[in-house]
């Protein structure tokens, strides 16, 4: 049985600000600098979803990327795209949307929607120069 | 005298929404769809500034890209980066920040800061798939 | 009245072969080399459609890229994507699908679907290293 | 002894169709959709070959990328480039050329041509948005 | 008669320094900063050669990109690649290799090797963020 | 406790030559070919630094990419950028600057500047087609 990983790349454009409500405004400004702008800023996020498992003999697939793309769109990008992560997305009303935390939320959202025998990893690019892999 | 064009690429990350205050909310929603989200969304904007003029015999330059980069940073990207275009940038308090209009504002801002003998053109990428050239 | 150009990038994946039916097989092999393979080869084509016109004062748009994208999809990429250009696309049953000729067909297809006051230009990338602009 | 991985990126342009001869035409159409087009479609494949091993003290190399490139060209890209994978490449006459299966064939082809002490991994991009890693 | 432009992209990796021998060392340091380092620095140059002319009815080509690529390799990239522009390339022994001047030299080299009826333009990327178009 | 990896991408432009002083000139030429040019050649190096560790509950960060970027600039890119690696950078006066060895030097330089609980990995792109990961 041969194991491979299949990757599907999607994107979404969103506003956010970094802010920890448990800290004072002064502490937030010091910690996050311009990323703490109360009026928000935004990004073109690039999302790569990697699933690992056996290559099915009948289909020649680990996973059908069309189905994978539809799952990502329904549960992640349709909910995040052209949104304000802090204000419009339930999970970030109480969770600071750092790239790390957004990747964790995407992982936990998709984990329950994909077959349990497929390993799952998330790569999230906030910019071309800053990106996160979760889980490590 | 040889003429060439020199291009300098910079970037900024900003939030915005498309909204024409002269229209009703319903008309704005119909016209701009998800881009009209009242809570904003955002982009990693890529900006290419093109200047055209004679190659100086002494320097071998049409323009020194380090100086050009500093002018762009001072007058454009430092004012737009990690900002909400609609709320934080003076020019867009009364002007709808479509890619076209943002390109016009960048052009008009830089035109006065660059030598008059250099022609100027702006390329602004809102995403990899949507971009504007101004003037045409 | 301010004029700008708006670009929309789309893609399609297609098979093709270069072959001029007015030439002998030997002449075709000599002229097109491995691109003449009778069993076809293929590409991920990247298509950039550029429209130039006045920025509308009400919308802030030269053209709405969502509408532009839908027109390109309906008339070009849905007809070319995952197809064999020579066998499946009417226009290439008698026209050799060089990058130049594919760009011409896309131009002529879209020209009639877009407002006459918008200038139109096509950029077609057969690979990252070979691409065509039409009209020149 | 220091271990590193060296990557070499190559490309090939090929036609293919997804089709499992053990299934009916109807089952193939349902499973593979437009990728099952009997007239084929095609891609610009990007191939990254990763070899891992000790850095040689004399050469400063894990592997000489010029030699690695020549091996990939001789055994893979010269055989796949500007070809129809299903019709022209021996291995896919009986094997469905999904990205997963193409990556497996490339791995098995190169495994015997490279020193046994070098670990080998294949990354194959069918498009920018769909890619495979083998072995996982 | 339809006119189009065909582009071919090539690359070369070279060392250089910016230095005008008619100026003092102090003036050169002030003008070129770290680009004046007497021990040289270097770049992965990306070169796009654009030729414009009628689409030939027989071939469907403005120009055969394989022939164009061979001309560029013979006359430009084979002479510049893995070289020190200032020390190894005849033209820059007396000409300061700014991106502008390198583009001019490439233009003048290729102009005589290409059919006179094809218009020629050079795009030279010193980095992703600094690039030149010649002639303007 | 959730673990993630954060990546920060930086770049530097440098000249180098491949040369092992323990070998004869003839042996060096045979081993390194055009990369052994005594007058040097150069590259736009792209550097990705990956750090892996727990996501801090207070900050939502594995590491602050602004701080990470500053550390990389101070200790690596400011020392390598617009330099001749062989002549200007202490570590390569006795070490052959192959991509593998440059990655090792960057790793060893940064290892002591980053918190010990963060795992560290270096990806160094000499060109788009040749890149190294260290440690493997």
């Amino acid at each position: 049985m041969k194991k491979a990983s299949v990757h599907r790349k999607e994107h979404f454009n969103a506003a956010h600000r970094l802010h920890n409500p448990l800290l004072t405004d002064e502490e937030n400004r010091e910690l996050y600098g311009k990323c703490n702008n109360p009026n928000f800023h935004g990004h073109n996020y690039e999302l790569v979803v990697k699933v690992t498992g056996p290559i099915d003999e009948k289909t020649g697939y680990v996973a059908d990327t069309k189905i994978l793309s539809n799952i990502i769109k329904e549960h992640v990008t349709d909910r995040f795209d052209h949104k304000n992560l802090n204000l419009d997305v339930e999970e970030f009303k109480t969770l600071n949307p750092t790239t790390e935390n957004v990747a964790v939320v995407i992982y936990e959202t998709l984990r329950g929607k994909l077959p349990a025998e497929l390993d799952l990893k998330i790569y999230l690019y906030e910019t071309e120069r800053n990106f996160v892999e979760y889980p490590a």
Side-chain angles (χ1 to χ4, degrees), chain A residues 16-20 28-29 32-37 40-41 45 86 96-99 126:
Chain A
H16 81 151
R17 76 180 289 217
L18 301 187
H19 187 80
N20 180 344
N28 272 294
R29 268 194 302 275
Y32 296 117
K34 61 186 180 178
C35 301
N36 182 240
N37 178 4
F40 310 102
H41 64 284
Y45 289 91
N86 304 65
N96 193 359
T98 60
T99 319
E126 192 178 80

Side-chain angles (χ1 to χ4, degrees), chain A residues 16 18 32 45 92 95-108 122-126 130-135:
Chain A
H16 81 151
L18 301 187
Y32 296 117
Y45 289 91
F92 300 111
L95 180 68
N96 193 359
T98 60
T99 319
E100 288 90 329
N101 283 342
V102 179
V104 169
V105 164
I106 292 172
Y107 175 86
E108 292 179 350
I122 302 300
Y123 297 83
L124 184 64
Y125 292 73
E126 192 178 80
N130 290 328
F131 56 102
V132 159
E133 177 185 339
Y134 179 80

Side-chain angles (χ1 to χ4, degrees), chain A residues 5 9 25 39 45 48 56 59 67 88 93 107-108 128:
Chain A
S5 298
K9 189 175 174 185
D25 283 359
N39 287 333
Y45 289 91
V48 176
D56 182 276
T59 62
I67 295 174
D88 296 326
K93 290 186 176 170
Y107 175 86
E108 292 179 350
E128 189 201 355

Side-chain angles (χ1 to χ4, degrees), chain A residues 3-123:
Chain A
K3 283 185 77 176
S5 298
V6 169
H7 307 72
R8 176 68 193 171
K9 189 175 174 185
E10 302 285 347
H11 60 268
F12 57 94
N13 308 325
H16 81 151
R17 76 180 289 217
L18 301 187
H19 187 80
N20 180 344
L22 301 177
L23 303 177
T24 66
D25 283 359
E26 178 55 27
E27 288 169 322
N28 272 294
R29 268 194 302 275
E30 199 174 317
L31 182 55
Y32 296 117
K34 61 186 180 178
C35 301
N36 182 240
N37 178 4
N39 287 333
F40 310 102
H41 64 284
H43 298 289
N44 301 333
Y45 289 91
E46 296 280 349
L47 166 63
V48 176
V49 174
K50 175 184 181 176
V51 293
T52 302
I55 303 175
D56 182 276
E57 292 237 343
K58 178 181 156 200
T59 62
Y61 285 157
V62 169
D64 184 328
T65 54
K66 288 185 299 298
I67 295 174
L68 184 58
S69 173
N70 289 340
I71 292 171
I72 301 168
K73 277 180 185 144
E74 181 182 351
H75 299 289
V76 179
T77 57
D78 281 356
R79 291 177 56 232
F80 290 15
D81 188 39
H82 281 73
K83 295 290 168 58
N84 183 309
L85 297 181
N86 304 65
L87 301 181
D88 296 326
V89 180
E90 200 55 37
E91 291 91 330
F92 300 111
K93 290 186 176 170
T94 55
L95 180 68
N96 193 359
T98 60
T99 319
E100 288 90 329
N101 283 342
V102 179
V104 169
V105 164
I106 292 172
Y107 175 86
E108 292 179 350
T109 301
L110 291 177
R111 183 60 284 179
K113 310 297 176 189
L114 293 168
E117 66 270 25
L118 293 180
D119 283 335
L120 173 64
K121 202 182 266 274
I122 302 300
Y123 297 83

